[in-house]
Amino acid sequence: MATIFQGLGAATALSASSMSNSFEAIKFHVPTRRSLSGRKASFFVVRSEGKMNPGSNQRTRRADQLITSAVATKSDGAAASTASKSGHELLLFEALREGLEEEMERDPTVCVIGEDVGHYGGSYKVTKGLAEKYGDLRVLDTPIAENSFTGMGIGAAMTGLRPIVEGMNMGFLLLAFNQISNNCGMLHYTSGGQFTIPIVIRGPGGVGRQLGAEHSQRLESYFQSIPGIQMVACSTPYNAKGLMKAAIRSENPVILFEHVLLYNLKETIPDEDYICCLEEAEMVRPGEHVTILTYSRMRYHVMQAAKTLVNKGYDPEVIDIRSLKPFDLHMIGNSVKKTHRVLIVEECMRTGGIGASLTSAINENFHDYLDAPIVCLSSQDVPTPYAGTLEEWTVVQPAQIVTAVEQLCR
Amino acid sequence: MAMIVGRSSRTSLIGNGYYYLRKKLGFLGVISHETSSPKYSSSTTPLFHPKPNGLWRFKATLAQTQLADHNKDVVDDQGLDFPGGRVTFTSDLTFISESTDKRVPCFRVLDDNGEPITHNYVQQVTKDLAINMYSNMVKLETMDTMFYEAQRQGRISFYLTTTGEEATNIASAAALSPDDVILPQYRESGVLMWRGFTLQEFANQCFGNIADYGKGRQMPIHYGSNKHNFITISSPIATQLPQAVGVAYSLKMDKKDACVVTFFGDGASSEGDCHASLNFAAVMEAPVVFICRNNGWAISTPIEEQFRSDGIVVRGQAYGIRSIRVDGNDALAVYTAVQKAREMAITEQRPMLVEVLSYRVGHHSTSDDSTKYRAVDEIETWKMGRNPLSIFRRWIERNGWWSDRDESELRSSLKKQVIEAIQVAEKTEKPSVAELFKDVYDHSPINLKEQEKLLRETMRRHPQDYPSDVRI
């Protein structure tokens, strides 16, 4: 556990500084209490696909939007600037909890449903303290029946609540596949728009530290085909809180993928209210030579590899795609047009994963801009072994990323 | 409490959670007491109050619970406080029998001739209500017959009747208030009809035209109406059951004076969701009335192949849910039982289970020919001999509220209305291509916009390959 977090600590500092380049922080107005019919959010959200600004870089884009004073830091973007007077430091699971708590405070229809989320505080402590504050009806402990409490969340969402369903581990949500696929994604459509399902389904997933095959599932590859749902993956405390809040406010069902190994990441986040756009990707490190697309935990392996690559003279552009469904093809496309080389680094398995879909999407849309075939680094098509060494070899390691970039940029 | 113990082996696998588990849970996995009570806000119902175990005695509307006779060897003062409550010991090695000698009796008010067996529950049904109920039953039967015919003629693609279960549909709906949220399975169109869904609206959904509230996106009979508090029907069986518990949870948070009513069949009772929903509802004290339409057949699977228990009613006690068995051919019995169940669900904030015994006279749907797996005379016996409409009609005629002339007038008028509804719906245009892509999300993302553009281009370029009556 210790080693990876040291590495991550360094990577976090890197990402924290690039935080000042990101521009999702948007001031919002407190909306009125929602009623069952006709819920419209009354705040600004910038959606990436709506804006086609070819050739514009980050700075001109930033000028287009409303920015809070907290995020307008000095442009040298050193780590010191983020440790300024504004902002507070917390861990990723605390950031999730903070986002959750702020939304529960703001909107009385927000509730949490899951196993052990009440007094126990959740198996990763994301809901700690909420049951004491909001009561055990609003933070509801359920019996062990994932399909049923997901179905329950859907029923509650259709009649006016905004439930957040927590899967103790994402893998258990496979038991909820029927409700998620057949009802969650579908009922808004098949009812002709009469019933909306503003549900958030979240939980930790991904390959952890020797949790065994059943607890190391990457559900994003199984869910990506379901029409009607949105999928986002958080990777830093900043975007964890932002995405949690945005997901809760969204009228669509959103699945928020957290990673078991990222819960203890530490970062300073703004004190002000902010959300992250659900459909936007995040520019982690701008560069010129190659576009590396990644998300969740693999971001940190990529950033670690990026250090090595920079030392070797390469300039990789790292994008955390964050939005797994739909892809932010705008940011990705601009990057491809700039670098002409793409490397996808994911934790999903080779067959049918997010990388596979992303490869196909980029090939279809930006084929002319590619100087080389897209390289996709994924986990092997094997159940995750328990033995630590074997487990380490199933996920993509920084050394492989370095090799892949070297080969790609030859 | 027992459920916490069961989970400890699972949570121990999860890295972070492990040391919290050891810290918080004591021996036997009982939740540490300092967290269990007064800190929660008083407006919520505390979920971990120790409840008294044992039997409850109620008025005669409840079925008798029958335990085996092993109580005689109970050593009364020897007992232990296991997690979940105090249990006394016995030194008699007796198993609870898998079945009882007598099946749970069935509540009925009218006999096969429409004669009241008891006058206890009859007076609450006024003339207006009775005529309304009967007219709707006839309307439902007429609609079913004619829409079925329309499917056979190729005018709609699919239909599913409620034949034999008209009383279950109409009488249960009549016992509810418009604020009660309904989560149907698919054989409850009468419930929607009672609430005011017109024949035209039914036809529109079946034909999938632009007036359909579902915008032509679901197959026929998958009705849904927000304003009638009738959640859109979803084909997979029993998915509505956990959702019903969720809706009840929503009502509980809003403290509304309404309950949730959900329907499911004998076949659906085998689904895992059914078990979990009943369990959840009991644990959460959710005001849901679960109505099981035990009509003897799940497509071609008869009851004996579906379960081996005495129907669904006996499962109620297994979950800690109050239950009753009702004669589904007797509209008055259904009305009375559902009304009482609803009252108990709301005032006592508890789930209720009502098993309605009836017979599925029709085929499962237009895709089925039930004579292939069941005897024709079995169908005929039920159709002729135990028809819910005839039974009710005899009762209202005996009261002087109905006559043969009323009957023939009603039927011919309804026939005309249904024909007209079908004709109008048939002629109404179908939804345009734009509706194919809307409502997947609240706003169309870029990939859907692209796909829509592509489809339109293709349709424009090759109009001969696409139906001419669909607007681009």
Side-chain angles (χ1 to χ4, degrees):
Chain A
M1 230 17 125
T3 44
I4 187 132
F5 287 133
Q6 271 171 12
L8 286 170
T12 321
L14 202 66
S15 63
S17 62
S18 64
M19 230 27 85
S20 57
N21 285 331
S22 75
F23 32 72
E24 298 97 354
I26 295 160
K27 195 152 210 149
F28 71 100
H29 316 283
V30 177
T32 51
R33 175 147 169 19
R34 296 180 172 116
S35 56
L36 177 61
S37 56
R39 290 151 172 249
K40 289 290 170 204
S42 57
F43 56 92
F44 270 163
V45 175
V46 177
R47 294 182 194 280
S48 59
E49 61 263 24
K51 294 198 166 210
M52 296 305 280
N53 275 333
S56 72
N57 61 19
Q58 330 294 39
R59 291 184 192 278
T60 44
R61 223 174 133 172
R62 194 204 299 194
D64 290 342
Q65 302 144 28
L66 229 50
I67 299 196
T68 70
S69 53
V71 176
T73 54
K74 299 262 159 56
S75 48
D76 38 297
S81 70
T82 54
S84 57
K85 316 124 217 170
S86 67
H88 54 287
E89 200 178 58
L90 40 54
L91 305 178
L92 194 143
F93 77 90
E94 291 169 340
L96 287 167
R97 189 198 318 145
E98 202 174 83
L100 189 46
E101 192 163 351
E102 283 175 16
E103 290 304 301
M104 286 183 82
E105 193 66 51
R106 196 173 147 263
D107 184 350
T109 61
V110 177
C111 53
V112 181
I113 299 173
E115 294 160 14
D116 296 319
V117 295
H119 358 241
Y120 190 68
S123 51
Y124 288 94
K125 298 298 153 224
V126 174
T127 53
K128 184 174 179 186
L130 296 181
E132 279 85 2
K133 193 168 171 192
Y134 295 105
D136 53 11
L137 188 61
R138 224 174 139 190
V139 184
L140 186 72
D141 275 334
T142 64
I144 309 177
E146 283 76 8
N147 201 34
S148 305
F149 64 69
T150 307
M152 200 182 127
I154 294 170
M158 286 197 286
T159 43
L161 293 184
R162 301 186 89 89
I164 294 134
V165 173
E166 172 174 312
M168 191 181 273
N169 184 286
M170 268 290 172
F172 307 154
L173 290 183
L174 285 170
L175 289 146
F177 212 111
N178 181 22
Q179 287 287 347
I180 294 174
S181 164
N182 274 329
N183 288 336
C184 184
M186 268 191 210
L187 274 167
H188 184 238
Y189 186 75
T190 59
S191 69
Q194 290 183 90
F195 298 100
T196 51
I197 308 179
I199 195 175
V200 176
I201 298 171
R202 51 160 291 268
V207 178
R209 276 273 173 270
Q210 295 191 269
L211 297 180
E214 298 91 346
H215 293 92
S216 311
Q217 297 268 37
R218 283 127 282 170
L219 273 263
E220 55 269 22
S221 42
Y222 306 144
F223 286 151
Q224 62 178 320
S225 221
I226 302 173
I229 58 163
Q230 276 187 264
M231 304 199 308
V232 286
C234 63
S235 49
T236 67
Y238 179 84
N239 63 35
K241 180 177 173 185
L243 289 174
M244 169 73 95
K245 290 170 72 109
I248 295 172
R249 295 184 199 183
S250 168
E251 293 301 313
N252 297 316
V254 179
I255 304 185
L256 171 58
F257 290 91
E258 301 153 13
H259 197 285
V260 281
L261 292 182
L262 299 185
Y263 278 126
N264 287 332
L265 279 183
K266 196 181 279 197
E267 193 188 349
T268 305
I269 63 170
D271 290 325
E272 280 75 10
D273 247 319
Y274 69 93
I275 59 166
C276 292
C277 181
L278 289 176
E279 295 89 5
E280 269 184 10
E282 189 178 312
M283 177 65 70
V284 184
R285 182 192 188 283
E288 296 290 326
H289 291 164
V290 60
T291 299
I292 307 183
L293 302 172
T294 181
Y295 67 95
S296 193
R297 180 197 170 201
M298 285 297 116
R299 167 185 173 143
Y300 296 97
H301 281 204
V302 167
M303 290 313 288
Q304 203 172 329
K307 284 198 305 184
T308 318
L309 287 169
V310 164
N311 288 339
K312 291 192 175 190
Y314 294 94
D315 187 19
E317 176 154 293
V318 180
I319 294 179
D320 181 342
I321 61 174
R322 253 176 32 189
S323 173
L324 306 179
K325 185 180 168 84
F327 294 131
D328 182 2
L329 288 178
H330 179 233
M331 186 187 286
I332 295 172
N334 282 346
S335 178
V336 174
K337 288 173 190 172
K338 186 167 61 163
T339 67
H340 312 295
R341 287 180 177 80
V342 179
L343 170 67
I344 300 173
V345 180
E346 58 161 356
E347 209 176 282
C348 281
M349 295 187 233
R350 191 86 181 108
T351 307
I354 296 288
S357 304
L358 192 52
T359 305
S360 151
I362 297 173
N363 270 327
E364 270 174 24
N365 288 295
F366 307 112
H367 184 259
D368 288 337
Y369 297 95
L370 290 170
D371 282 348
I374 299 176
V375 177
C376 183
L377 296 178
S378 343
S379 303
Q380 299 91 344
D381 287 321
V382 298
T384 311
Y386 175 79
T389 41
L390 294 180
E391 185 184 66
E392 211 176 284
W393 294 337
T394 68
V395 294
V396 178
Q397 297 297 334
Q400 290 169 270
I401 304 173
V402 172
T403 316
V405 170
E406 286 175 337
Q407 282 187 333
L408 197 50
C409 290
R410 237 201 318 249
Chain B
M1 302 297 166
M3 58 191 184
I4 307 290
V5 176
R7 250 178 286 165
S8 62
S9 55
R10 200 199 222 173
T11 45
S12 64
L13 282 174
I14 295 172
N16 271 355
Y18 184 70
Y19 76 95
Y20 285 104
L21 180 71
R22 299 298 314 261
K23 204 171 92 169
K24 286 254 175 182
L25 301 193
F27 177 62
L28 292 186
V30 176
I31 294 168
S32 61
H33 292 294
E34 81 248 18
T35 56
S36 58
S37 32
K39 282 193 201 160
Y40 299 131
S41 62
S42 51
S43 57
T44 62
T45 10
L47 293 178
F48 295 99
H49 253 19
K51 286 261 190 267
N53 280 340
L55 304 173
W56 303 72
R57 308 227 62 159
F58 297 109
K59 291 195 240 141
T61 43
L62 284 193
Q64 301 284 339
T65 54
Q66 295 170 45
L67 287 182
D69 293 339
H70 71 292
N71 280 327
K72 55 181 186 279
D73 282 337
V74 170
V75 185
D76 270 314
D77 27 302
Q78 305 276 34
L80 188 59
D81 278 309
F82 282 106
R86 187 174 174 77
V87 179
T88 51
F89 292 122
T90 169
S91 55
D92 184 29
L93 180 61
T94 310
F95 289 76
I96 303 175
S97 173
E98 71 276 8
S99 61
T100 53
D101 295 331
K102 283 177 21 189
R103 293 189 60 182
V104 172
C106 189
F107 174 68
R108 75 174 354 191
V109 174
L110 300 176
D111 65 14
D112 284 340
N113 290 320
E115 188 78 57
I117 304 170
T118 164
H119 288 272
N120 287 345
Y121 310 104
V122 170
Q123 39 269 53
Q124 56 184 305
V125 182
T126 60
K127 175 181 175 187
D128 283 336
L129 177 62
I131 293 182
N132 205 357
M133 278 168 63
Y134 183 70
S135 314
N136 271 285
M137 283 164 69
V138 176
K139 191 169 165 190
L140 181 59
E141 191 191 57
T142 313
M143 179 179 89
D144 274 348
T145 314
M146 303 188 74
F147 276 34
Y148 191 91
E149 285 300 308
Q151 194 277 341
R152 284 287 177 252
Q153 293 166 10
R155 292 159 92 178
I156 53 177
S157 60
F158 176 84
Y159 195 71
L160 193 148
T161 63
T162 61
T163 316
E165 299 182 65
E166 293 89 350
T168 313
N169 271 234
I170 301 294
S172 61
L176 306 172
S177 90
D179 284 331
D180 297 328
V181 184
I182 310 273
L183 281 104
Q185 183 165 305
Y186 48 57
R187 218 179 282 279
E188 297 91 17
S189 33
V191 176
L192 190 54
M193 182 179 274
W194 176 269
R195 288 198 162 185
F197 214 59
T198 63
L199 289 169
Q200 192 60 63
E201 286 169 316
F202 280 112
N204 287 336
Q205 198 282 332
C206 288
F207 280 90
N209 57 36
I210 49 165
D212 168 27
Y213 298 139
K215 300 187 187 147
R217 294 171 186 149
Q218 255 290 18
M219 50 191 290
I221 68 102
H222 286 62
Y223 313 112
S225 175
N226 205 349
K227 60 184 185 198
H228 296 102
N229 277 329
F230 192 87
I231 305 268
T232 304
I233 293 171
S234 173
S235 311
I237 299 284
T239 50
Q240 73 278 9
L241 297 176
Q243 291 171 11
V245 182
V247 176
Y249 173 65
S250 176
L251 290 181
K252 221 170 144 79
M253 292 262 271
D254 288 344
K255 296 201 179 61
K256 264 192 160 152
D257 176 31
C259 70
V260 182
V261 179
T262 182
F263 293 84
F264 61 105
D266 42 286
S269 73
S270 297
E271 278 280 353
D273 273 351
C274 177
H275 150 78
S277 324
L278 289 169
N279 191 35
F280 267 59
V283 168
M284 283 194 352
E285 296 165 11
V288 191
V289 179
F290 290 95
I291 300 182
C292 177
R293 291 178 299 95
N294 184 344
N295 61 17
W297 293 92
I299 308 189
S300 68
T301 309
I303 286 294
E304 312 78 63
E305 287 172 32
Q306 194 68 251
F307 44 70
R308 288 296 163 89
S309 55
D310 174 17
I312 313 299
V313 66
V314 290
R315 299 186 196 180
Q317 194 172 54
Y319 295 108
I321 295 181
R322 213 174 283 170
S323 47
I324 189 171
R325 171 173 275 167
V326 183
D327 178 3
N329 292 327
D330 179 355
L332 285 191
V334 175
Y335 176 79
T336 313
V338 173
Q339 196 183 50
K340 187 71 183 166
R342 176 186 182 272
E343 189 190 305
M344 285 195 265
I346 295 179
T347 51
E348 295 177 53
Q349 289 289 297
R350 58 164 60 248
M352 303 289 298
L353 176 61
V354 179
E355 180 185 17
V356 179
L357 291 185
S358 59
Y359 189 81
R360 191 196 81 205
V361 171
H363 307 300
H364 165 71
S365 71
T366 50
S367 315
D368 174 49
D369 174 13
S370 59
T371 56
K372 287 210 169 75
Y373 50 79
R374 55 183 186 176
V376 178
D377 35 309
E378 179 191 299
I379 307 174
E380 284 302 306
T381 316
W382 283 91
K383 192 169 176 178
M384 296 301 153
R386 294 157 211 177
N387 187 326
L389 278 89
S390 333
I391 295 173
F392 200 57
R393 181 181 165 182
R394 278 181 218 131
W395 180 66
I396 54 175
E397 277 180 345
R398 198 174 290 116
N399 286 348
W401 297 340
W402 198 251
S403 67
D404 282 341
R405 211 187 64 177
D406 292 323
E407 180 82 16
S408 51
E409 271 176 19
L410 177 68
R411 284 196 184 260
S412 61
S413 151
L414 283 172
K415 197 167 169 193
K416 281 201 207 80
Q417 286 175 45
V418 175
I419 292 178
E420 196 191 310
I422 294 178
Q423 283 175 341
V424 170
E426 207 167 17
K427 292 200 197 75
T428 311
E429 60 177 314
K430 301 282 189 263
S432 71
V433 165
E435 293 298 339
L436 181 59
F437 297 95
K438 277 198 221 147
D439 295 325
V440 182
Y441 296 97
D442 53 350
H443 305 288
S444 267
I446 234 187
N447 59 326
L448 284 187
K449 286 203 186 100
E450 259 176 42
Q451 290 167 20
E452 185 177 348
K453 209 172 83 174
L454 195 62
L455 180 60
R456 279 180 205 271
E457 271 173 35
T458 317
M459 284 174 82
R460 232 174 260 126
R461 235 180 285 138
H462 309 278
Q464 71 281 3
D465 291 336
Y466 289 89
S468 51
D469 57 349
V470 178
R471 273 192 295 131
I472 295 185

